[in-house]
Amino acid sequence: MIERETTIEQLGAIVCQALKDAGIDAFLSGGAVVSIYSNNQFESFDLDFVSFADRRKIKAVMEGLGFLQDKSRLFRHPQSVYMDEFPGTALVIGDEPIREFAERVVEGKMLKLLTPTDCVKDRLAAYIHWGDRQGLEQAALVASQQACNLSQVEKFC
């Protein structure tokens, strides 16, 4: 199922669908979303999933897919160059709640992820709050390649 050639989008869909099949709601955020929306012009090697589910249930699903958890929150699969992480449960970007998600069907599996607009806001938040120049570059990359609600982005900033 997971092979060396599995793309970040395919892996995201495999994990998201497996979690969904186990009754766990999760969505993809962070740099992996930038990778997907920029056709890998920005390449991330970790997938950050957000979920309120019990960590033991998440771990069981991930182990069922062949992932091993290291001493931190990272899950690694022996056939993948990507790491998966479940860093938190925040349903906000800055002070704004996330109200909608994008969904993509990838090889018959459902991937739930931030919308392009929320991805841009997420990356800009990293730039605004922490001076992360890469966040600004990633926001510009996504905004230049995806349909975004720029008035929402402007209001957010």
Side-chain angles (χ1 to χ4, degrees), residues 2-4 6 11 67 76-84:
I2 297 170
E3 302 171 345
R4 274 243 175 262
T6 301
L11 184 59
F67 285 87
R76 299 175 192 270
H77 192 282
Q79 295 300 315
S80 180
V81 297
Y82 304 108
M83 298 173 286
D84 288 36

Side-chain angles (χ1 to χ4, degrees), residues 7-139:
T7 67
I8 198 165
E9 183 176 36
Q10 290 168 328
L11 184 59
I14 290 167
V15 171
C16 208
Q17 186 68 58
L19 292 167
K20 183 178 179 180
D21 291 347
I24 297 171
D25 186 37
F27 68 90
L28 186 62
S29 66
V33 178
V34 177
S35 286
I36 291 166
Y37 286 145
S38 71
N39 294 309
N40 258 352
Q41 283 185 280
F42 167 78
E43 193 169 13
S44 177
F45 287 94
D46 70 313
L47 291 88
D48 296 325
F49 287 95
V50 177
S51 178
F52 286 101
D54 181 280
R55 298 292 171 179
R56 292 171 296 199
K57 290 181 182 178
I58 291 171
K59 184 177 181 179
V61 171
M62 297 302 286
E63 287 175 346
L65 291 171
F67 285 87
L68 301 172
Q69 187 174 13
D70 64 16
K71 293 182 194 265
S72 66
R73 294 184 291 202
L74 295 176
F75 289 91
R76 299 175 192 270
H77 192 282
Q79 295 300 315
S80 180
V81 297
Y82 304 108
M83 298 173 286
D84 288 36
E85 184 176 9
F86 294 81
T89 57
L91 288 174
V92 296
I93 298 172
D95 293 332
E96 288 188 6
I98 301 170
R99 300 193 190 285
E100 61 183 57
F101 297 92
E103 292 184 336
R104 297 167 74 116
V105 177
V106 181
E107 298 177 358
K109 294 173 177 47
M110 183 61 70
L111 173 60
K112 183 178 177 181
L113 67 165
L114 291 176
T115 65
T117 300
D118 281 341
C119 177
V120 169
K121 291 191 291 188
D122 177 57
R123 301 290 89 187
L124 285 174
Y127 174 68
I128 292 166
H129 297 289
W130 299 295
D132 180 0
R133 177 87 180 161
Q134 190 177 36
L136 177 62
E137 293 165 3
Q138 292 169 7

